[in-house]
Amino acid sequence: MVEKDIAAELKKRGFKLTHQRKAIISVLGNCREHLKPADIHQRLHKKYPGIGLVTVYRTLELLQENGLLCEVHIGDSCRSYLKRQRPGEHHHHLVCRDCGRVADFTDCELDRLKQRLERETGYRINRHLLEFMGLCPQCQIREV
Amino acid sequence: MVEKDIAAELKKRGFKLTHQRKAIISVLGNCREHLKPADIHQRLHKKYPGIGLVTVYRTLELLQENGLLCEVHIGDSCRSYLKRQRPGEHHHHLVCRDCGRVADFTDCELDRLKQRLERETGYRINRHLLEFMGLCPQCQIREV
DNA sequence: TTTATAAATGAAAACAATTTTCATTTAGCG
DNA sequence: CGCTAAATGAAAATTGTTTTCATTTATAAA
């Protein structure tokens, strides 16, 4: 999904395409790291000063509710977001602990484990959270 | 690890064993759900009124730093804790979305996936977060 | 193109969660 | 028992997030 797709998706669902929303989408779209609300607000300031932090929060909520972005849990904060690459697709993240860059992967190979756990514990499982953290190729070089 | 072990561990590392700490450890020790700081504070109030929320925060930090409790990420909040069953052991959680009860499991079968991802992405992985969410046996019955 | 209108925005205030400060208390040692 | 550093509680400060409300704006209809 590129910026245009996200914009189109919002429009399709009857939401207005404001300057602010476009700007926020653009920040997320040009970024491979996960960002906290305050990070996004700060980045906005350079190009589009005057957009309020409140609007950032509201737009993130809107995008989130419409499945247009995803959260990253591992690492520092708990509210860190990322543009969703493909709408609706089940996927997971590989997060760089230095620069925050995120790579996606889709096949999590957890079916067998899930079934074993259901059998052993009696839980009925319907959701899982899986993220890997490490160093991306660039940060490995930088680290030496 | 039972309460006594946790207490002993703290003592061994030169921390004082105060009433408050014992009380907090006891709340965590008698509980199979994950609890937020405010939850713990509330539960303390019944048996040991007068323990401040600040002390709860400080004690949780202490226990956390000493590897005596673990966090739960999936679900509502981001700061939810649980007594660690065995010190230092690599393990994961299965969380009930209704009652919050947590079951542990140790073998996460992620080695193969980890290796595949390292090969495919070039990331060097050194940590992962894996949690399952569902319904525990009791909450399945209650749900019908 | 202009107009009407509901939706979106920004600023300030409110709220919630967490941390800091500091004076007082206490565990654990001698 | 008395000493001392560590721990506590209460209040204040800080940080992150949400609500309120008057104003602005995107969009659809005229």
Side-chain angles (χ1 to χ4, degrees), chain A residues 1-19 21-22 25 59 62-63 66 68:
Chain A
M1 276 204 294
V2 285
E3 292 172 43
K4 246 187 271 179
D5 303 320
I6 298 179
E9 196 57 37
L10 283 187
K11 197 130 197 209
K12 206 179 80 184
R13 304 191 190 189
F15 299 104
K16 290 185 181 172
L17 219 48
T18 60
H19 287 144
R21 286 180 179 169
K22 277 189 229 168
I25 292 169
T59 301
L62 179 75
L63 294 173
N66 286 276
L68 300 167

Tab-separated table of all heavy atoms in Angstrom, chain A residues 1-19 21-22 25 59 62-63 66 68, chain C residues 7-8, chain D residues 25-28:
chain	number	residue	atom	x	y	z
A	1	MET	N	0.827	-1.204	0.000
A	1	MET	CA	0.000	0.000	0.000
A	1	MET	C	0.864	1.258	0.000
A	1	MET	O	1.646	1.474	0.914
A	1	MET	CB	-0.870	0.028	1.260
A	1	MET	CG	-2.146	-0.762	1.116
A	1	MET	SD	-3.376	-0.167	2.241
A	1	MET	CE	-2.612	-0.600	3.806
A	2	VAL	N	0.670	2.073	-1.008
A	2	VAL	CA	1.365	3.358	-1.006
A	2	VAL	C	0.408	4.422	-0.474
A	2	VAL	O	-0.758	4.144	-0.214
A	2	VAL	CB	1.877	3.730	-2.412
A	2	VAL	CG1	3.104	2.896	-2.744
A	2	VAL	CG2	0.815	3.552	-3.452
A	3	GLU	N	0.945	5.628	-0.351
A	3	GLU	CA	0.135	6.700	0.229
A	3	GLU	C	-1.209	6.865	-0.454
A	3	GLU	O	-2.235	7.051	0.186
A	3	GLU	CB	0.894	8.026	0.144
A	3	GLU	CG	2.116	8.043	1.054
A	3	GLU	CD	2.960	9.281	0.804
A	3	GLU	OE1	2.388	10.366	0.662
A	3	GLU	OE2	4.199	9.143	0.743
A	4	LYS	N	-1.162	6.787	-1.779
A	4	LYS	CA	-2.391	6.978	-2.538
A	4	LYS	C	-3.462	5.964	-2.149
A	4	LYS	O	-4.634	6.297	-2.012
A	4	LYS	CB	-2.094	6.849	-4.044
A	4	LYS	CG	-2.289	8.165	-4.812
A	4	LYS	CD	-2.151	7.941	-6.305
A	4	LYS	CE	-0.704	8.092	-6.753
A	4	LYS	NZ	-0.509	7.861	-8.205
A	5	ASP	N	-3.034	4.726	-1.969
A	5	ASP	CA	-3.986	3.688	-1.600
A	5	ASP	C	-4.627	3.971	-0.243
A	5	ASP	O	-5.825	3.775	-0.055
A	5	ASP	CB	-3.293	2.328	-1.530
A	5	ASP	CG	-2.613	1.979	-2.846
A	5	ASP	OD1	-3.215	2.261	-3.897
A	5	ASP	OD2	-1.498	1.450	-2.817
A	6	ILE	N	-3.798	4.414	0.674
A	6	ILE	CA	-4.315	4.705	2.008
A	6	ILE	C	-5.327	5.842	1.926
A	6	ILE	O	-6.422	5.762	2.476
A	6	ILE	CB	-3.160	5.072	2.967
A	6	ILE	CG1	-2.206	3.881	3.088
A	6	ILE	CG2	-3.699	5.470	4.328
A	6	ILE	CD1	-1.018	4.137	3.983
A	7	ALA	N	-4.967	6.880	1.193
A	7	ALA	CA	-5.872	8.011	1.011
A	7	ALA	C	-7.177	7.554	0.379
A	7	ALA	O	-8.270	7.884	0.851
A	7	ALA	CB	-5.202	9.072	0.152
A	8	ALA	N	-7.058	6.765	-0.681
A	8	ALA	CA	-8.248	6.282	-1.372
A	8	ALA	C	-9.129	5.475	-0.442
A	8	ALA	O	-10.362	5.602	-0.446
A	8	ALA	CB	-7.833	5.438	-2.574
A	9	GLU	N	-8.487	4.662	0.362
A	9	GLU	CA	-9.219	3.820	1.298
A	9	GLU	C	-10.023	4.672	2.288
A	9	GLU	O	-11.197	4.393	2.545
A	9	GLU	CB	-8.209	2.938	2.044
A	9	GLU	CG	-8.782	1.760	2.759
A	9	GLU	CD	-9.581	0.812	1.868
A	9	GLU	OE1	-9.184	0.603	0.707
A	9	GLU	OE2	-10.621	0.307	2.344
A	10	LEU	N	-9.406	5.711	2.782
A	10	LEU	CA	-10.113	6.593	3.718
A	10	LEU	C	-11.311	7.238	3.030
A	10	LEU	O	-12.415	7.278	3.559
A	10	LEU	CB	-9.185	7.681	4.240
A	10	LEU	CG	-8.181	7.301	5.325
A	10	LEU	CD1	-7.471	8.539	5.841
A	10	LEU	CD2	-8.861	6.574	6.469
A	11	LYS	N	-11.047	7.743	1.861
A	11	LYS	CA	-12.095	8.414	1.096
A	11	LYS	C	-13.263	7.469	0.867
A	11	LYS	O	-14.425	7.822	1.065
A	11	LYS	CB	-11.521	8.856	-0.244
A	11	LYS	CG	-12.377	9.895	-0.919
A	11	LYS	CD	-11.560	11.088	-1.359
A	11	LYS	CE	-12.470	12.262	-1.651
A	11	LYS	NZ	-11.911	13.153	-2.666
A	12	LYS	N	-12.915	6.262	0.451
A	12	LYS	CA	-13.936	5.259	0.172
A	12	LYS	C	-14.855	5.048	1.374
A	12	LYS	O	-16.046	4.811	1.224
A	12	LYS	CB	-13.249	3.933	-0.196
A	12	LYS	CG	-14.077	3.030	-1.083
A	12	LYS	CD	-13.341	1.746	-1.447
A	12	LYS	CE	-13.391	0.734	-0.331
A	12	LYS	NZ	-12.597	-0.492	-0.625
A	13	ARG	N	-14.260	5.142	2.534
A	13	ARG	CA	-15.059	4.895	3.735
A	13	ARG	C	-15.728	6.158	4.266
A	13	ARG	O	-16.226	6.193	5.388
A	13	ARG	CB	-14.179	4.281	4.820
A	13	ARG	CG	-13.515	3.011	4.316
A	13	ARG	CD	-12.857	2.215	5.379
A	13	ARG	NE	-12.058	1.165	4.745
A	13	ARG	CZ	-11.483	0.180	5.406
A	13	ARG	NH1	-11.608	0.095	6.710
A	13	ARG	NH2	-10.780	-0.730	4.766
A	14	GLY	N	-15.658	7.225	3.484
A	14	GLY	CA	-16.391	8.431	3.854
A	14	GLY	C	-15.680	9.383	4.789
A	14	GLY	O	-16.293	10.270	5.365
A	15	PHE	N	-14.350	9.231	4.923
A	15	PHE	CA	-13.622	10.171	5.747
A	15	PHE	C	-13.018	11.263	4.875
A	15	PHE	O	-12.693	11.024	3.715
A	15	PHE	CB	-12.529	9.458	6.534
A	15	PHE	CG	-13.064	8.415	7.462
A	15	PHE	CD1	-12.965	7.072	7.161
A	15	PHE	CD2	-13.713	8.793	8.634
A	15	PHE	CE1	-13.483	6.115	8.019
A	15	PHE	CE2	-14.237	7.842	9.490
A	15	PHE	CZ	-14.124	6.492	9.180
A	16	LYS	N	-12.882	12.413	5.444
A	16	LYS	CA	-12.344	13.534	4.663
A	16	LYS	C	-10.833	13.438	4.525
A	16	LYS	O	-10.143	13.017	5.453
A	16	LYS	CB	-12.718	14.848	5.333
A	16	LYS	CG	-14.183	15.149	5.236
A	16	LYS	CD	-14.477	16.507	5.795
A	16	LYS	CE	-15.964	16.794	5.715
A	16	LYS	NZ	-16.304	18.041	6.422
A	17	LEU	N	-10.370	13.876	3.380
A	17	LEU	CA	-8.936	13.841	3.124
A	17	LEU	C	-8.359	15.222	3.384
A	17	LEU	O	-8.259	16.043	2.479
A	17	LEU	CB	-8.707	13.424	1.678
A	17	LEU	CG	-7.524	12.491	1.456
A	17	LEU	CD1	-7.545	11.348	2.457
A	17	LEU	CD2	-7.560	11.947	0.058
A	18	THR	N	-7.972	15.445	4.615
A	18	THR	CA	-7.480	16.769	4.972
A	18	THR	C	-5.976	16.864	4.753
A	18	THR	O	-5.291	15.861	4.632
A	18	THR	CB	-7.783	17.057	6.454
A	18	THR	OG1	-7.118	16.069	7.242
A	18	THR	CG2	-9.267	16.985	6.724
A	19	HIS	N	-5.497	18.118	4.704
A	19	HIS	CA	-4.046	18.340	4.626
A	19	HIS	C	-3.325	17.556	5.689
A	19	HIS	O	-2.319	16.896	5.447
A	19	HIS	CB	-3.730	19.823	4.897
A	19	HIS	CG	-4.114	20.709	3.784
A	19	HIS	ND1	-4.605	21.980	3.981
A	19	HIS	CD2	-4.089	20.512	2.454
A	19	HIS	CE1	-4.870	22.522	2.817
A	19	HIS	NE2	-4.559	21.666	1.869
A	21	ARG	N	-4.189	14.938	7.476
A	21	ARG	CA	-4.155	13.489	7.307
A	21	ARG	C	-3.177	13.089	6.214
A	21	ARG	O	-2.420	12.129	6.367
A	21	ARG	CB	-5.569	12.982	6.987
A	21	ARG	CG	-6.448	13.015	8.215
A	21	ARG	CD	-7.858	12.531	7.943
A	21	ARG	NE	-8.617	12.570	9.185
A	21	ARG	CZ	-9.932	12.412	9.256
A	21	ARG	NH1	-10.645	12.223	8.171
A	21	ARG	NH2	-10.535	12.458	10.434
A	22	LYS	N	-3.193	13.841	5.130
A	22	LYS	CA	-2.252	13.529	4.058
A	22	LYS	C	-0.821	13.620	4.563
A	22	LYS	O	0.025	12.780	4.247
A	22	LYS	CB	-2.456	14.488	2.883
A	22	LYS	CG	-3.575	14.069	1.944
A	22	LYS	CD	-3.589	14.927	0.685
A	22	LYS	CE	-4.992	15.447	0.415
A	22	LYS	NZ	-5.044	16.499	-0.618
A	25	ILE	N	-0.006	10.653	6.788
A	25	ILE	CA	0.162	9.462	5.957
A	25	ILE	C	1.491	9.510	5.228
A	25	ILE	O	2.190	8.506	5.093
A	25	ILE	CB	-1.008	9.338	4.956
A	25	ILE	CG1	-2.302	9.029	5.705
A	25	ILE	CG2	-0.732	8.253	3.926
A	25	ILE	CD1	-3.546	9.150	4.859
A	59	THR	N	-5.648	10.907	14.092
A	59	THR	CA	-5.430	10.270	12.797
A	59	THR	C	-4.878	8.858	12.962
A	59	THR	O	-5.288	7.943	12.246
A	59	THR	CB	-4.473	11.124	11.951
A	59	THR	OG1	-5.046	12.415	11.792
A	59	THR	CG2	-4.254	10.499	10.589
A	62	LEU	N	-7.708	6.660	13.749
A	62	LEU	CA	-8.515	6.416	12.553
A	62	LEU	C	-7.868	5.379	11.641
A	62	LEU	O	-8.512	4.429	11.195
A	62	LEU	CB	-8.693	7.728	11.782
A	62	LEU	CG	-9.505	7.635	10.492
A	62	LEU	CD1	-10.973	7.504	10.814
A	62	LEU	CD2	-9.255	8.853	9.609
A	63	LEU	N	-6.581	5.553	11.397
A	63	LEU	CA	-5.880	4.621	10.516
A	63	LEU	C	-5.840	3.233	11.125
A	63	LEU	O	-6.034	2.227	10.435
A	63	LEU	CB	-4.454	5.119	10.255
A	63	LEU	CG	-4.331	6.427	9.470
A	63	LEU	CD1	-2.894	6.905	9.435
A	63	LEU	CD2	-4.865	6.266	8.058
A	66	ASN	N	-9.064	1.402	10.859
A	66	ASN	CA	-9.354	0.975	9.506
A	66	ASN	C	-8.298	0.027	8.948
A	66	ASN	O	-8.218	-0.188	7.740
A	66	ASN	CB	-9.542	2.198	8.612
A	66	ASN	CG	-10.869	2.864	8.892
A	66	ASN	OD1	-11.890	2.470	8.360
A	66	ASN	ND2	-10.880	3.850	9.770
A	68	LEU	N	-5.136	0.288	8.579
A	68	LEU	CA	-4.161	0.830	7.646
A	68	LEU	C	-2.785	0.991	8.273
A	68	LEU	O	-1.842	1.404	7.624
A	68	LEU	CB	-4.655	2.162	7.083
A	68	LEU	CG	-5.997	2.015	6.336
A	68	LEU	CD1	-6.620	3.365	6.071
A	68	LEU	CD2	-5.786	1.261	5.037
C	7	DA	P	-20.992	13.811	10.287
C	7	DA	OP1	-21.210	12.385	9.968
C	7	DA	OP2	-21.348	14.364	11.616
C	7	DA	O5'	-19.466	14.135	10.006
C	7	DA	C5'	-18.969	14.075	8.673
C	7	DA	C4'	-17.568	14.618	8.675
C	7	DA	O4'	-17.596	16.034	8.915
C	7	DA	C3'	-16.673	14.008	9.753
C	7	DA	O3'	-15.442	13.692	9.131
C	7	DA	C2'	-16.565	15.113	10.799
C	7	DA	C1'	-16.686	16.365	9.952
C	7	DA	N9	-17.229	17.542	10.616
C	7	DA	C8	-18.321	17.623	11.436
C	7	DA	N7	-18.577	18.842	11.877
C	7	DA	C5	-17.586	19.609	11.282
C	7	DA	C6	-17.297	20.984	11.345
C	7	DA	N6	-18.014	21.867	12.045
C	7	DA	N1	-16.232	21.434	10.637
C	7	DA	C2	-15.519	20.554	9.926
C	7	DA	N3	-15.689	19.236	9.799
C	7	DA	C4	-16.751	18.831	10.508
C	8	DA	P	-14.206	13.175	9.888
C	8	DA	OP1	-13.452	12.311	8.963
C	8	DA	OP2	-14.658	12.679	11.197
C	8	DA	O5'	-13.351	14.497	10.124
C	8	DA	C5'	-12.842	15.184	9.001
C	8	DA	C4'	-11.944	16.287	9.472
C	8	DA	O4'	-12.736	17.303	10.102
C	8	DA	C3'	-10.892	15.859	10.498
C	8	DA	O3'	-9.651	16.365	10.064
C	8	DA	C2'	-11.381	16.464	11.802
C	8	DA	C1'	-12.134	17.694	11.313
C	8	DA	N9	-13.220	18.159	12.176
C	8	DA	C8	-14.212	17.408	12.746
C	8	DA	N7	-15.066	18.126	13.460
C	8	DA	C5	-14.594	19.421	13.346
C	8	DA	C6	-15.048	20.653	13.863
C	8	DA	N6	-16.133	20.768	14.646
C	8	DA	N1	-14.341	21.768	13.564
C	8	DA	C2	-13.252	21.647	12.782
C	8	DA	N3	-12.734	20.548	12.231
C	8	DA	C4	-13.459	19.457	12.558
D	25	DT	P	-9.293	26.810	7.240
D	25	DT	OP1	-7.841	26.613	7.079
D	25	DT	OP2	-10.000	27.954	6.635
D	25	DT	O5'	-10.019	25.472	6.778
D	25	DT	C5'	-9.576	24.220	7.302
D	25	DT	C4'	-10.352	23.122	6.607
D	25	DT	O4'	-11.711	23.102	7.106
D	25	DT	C3'	-10.465	23.314	5.101
D	25	DT	O3'	-10.400	22.024	4.542
D	25	DT	C2'	-11.850	23.883	4.918
D	25	DT	C1'	-12.590	23.100	6.006
D	25	DT	N1	-13.877	23.654	6.492
D	25	DT	C2	-14.865	22.759	6.857
D	25	DT	O2	-14.730	21.555	6.776
D	25	DT	N3	-16.021	23.338	7.310
D	25	DT	C4	-16.276	24.685	7.434
D	25	DT	O4	-17.358	25.084	7.856
D	25	DT	C5	-15.196	25.569	7.039
D	25	DT	C7	-15.369	27.050	7.134
D	25	DT	C6	-14.059	25.023	6.587
D	26	DA	P	-9.657	21.738	3.155
D	26	DA	OP1	-8.232	21.458	3.383
D	26	DA	OP2	-10.079	22.807	2.224
D	26	DA	O5'	-10.355	20.379	2.750
D	26	DA	C5'	-10.343	19.290	3.676
D	26	DA	C4'	-11.500	18.372	3.373
D	26	DA	O4'	-12.748	18.994	3.762
D	26	DA	C3'	-11.653	17.996	1.915
D	26	DA	O3'	-11.998	16.622	1.881
D	26	DA	C2'	-12.786	18.899	1.400
D	26	DA	C1'	-13.616	19.138	2.662
D	26	DA	N9	-14.198	20.478	2.815
D	26	DA	C8	-13.631	21.679	2.510
D	26	DA	N7	-14.377	22.724	2.806
D	26	DA	C5	-15.514	22.160	3.362
D	26	DA	C6	-16.700	22.729	3.874
D	26	DA	N6	-16.933	24.057	3.941
D	26	DA	N1	-17.641	21.890	4.336
D	26	DA	C2	-17.414	20.582	4.304
D	26	DA	N3	-16.344	19.911	3.830
D	26	DA	C4	-15.428	20.781	3.375
D	27	DT	P	-12.186	15.851	0.508
D	27	DT	OP1	-11.898	14.438	0.781
D	27	DT	OP2	-11.455	16.593	-0.537
D	27	DT	O5'	-13.734	15.981	0.228
D	27	DT	C5'	-14.650	15.335	1.119
D	27	DT	C4'	-16.052	15.766	0.767
D	27	DT	O4'	-16.237	17.162	1.074
D	27	DT	C3'	-16.424	15.598	-0.705
D	27	DT	O3'	-17.582	14.788	-0.740
D	27	DT	C2'	-16.695	17.016	-1.187
D	27	DT	C1'	-17.127	17.676	0.109
D	27	DT	N1	-17.055	19.153	0.200
D	27	DT	C2	-18.114	19.818	0.793
D	27	DT	O2	-19.088	19.255	1.234
D	27	DT	N3	-17.978	21.191	0.838
D	27	DT	C4	-16.910	21.938	0.363
D	27	DT	O4	-16.904	23.148	0.464
D	27	DT	C5	-15.839	21.176	-0.235
D	27	DT	C7	-14.651	21.889	-0.781
D	27	DT	C6	-15.959	19.834	-0.292
D	28	DA	P	-17.982	14.040	-2.115
D	28	DA	OP1	-17.486	12.664	-1.974
D	28	DA	OP2	-17.614	14.844	-3.290
D	28	DA	O5'	-19.572	14.034	-2.001
D	28	DA	C5'	-20.193	14.213	-0.722
D	28	DA	C4'	-21.459	15.033	-0.907
D	28	DA	O4'	-21.131	16.452	-0.806
D	28	DA	C3'	-22.143	14.865	-2.256
D	28	DA	O3'	-23.556	14.943	-2.090
D	28	DA	C2'	-21.624	16.041	-3.062
D	28	DA	C1'	-21.572	17.107	-1.977
D	28	DA	N9	-20.641	18.196	-2.263
D	28	DA	C8	-19.435	18.118	-2.916
D	28	DA	N7	-18.809	19.272	-3.020
D	28	DA	C5	-19.668	20.164	-2.388
D	28	DA	C6	-19.587	21.554	-2.157
D	28	DA	N6	-18.537	22.303	-2.545
D	28	DA	N1	-20.613	22.135	-1.507
D	28	DA	C2	-21.645	21.383	-1.115
D	28	DA	N3	-21.828	20.074	-1.267
D	28	DA	C4	-20.796	19.516	-1.924
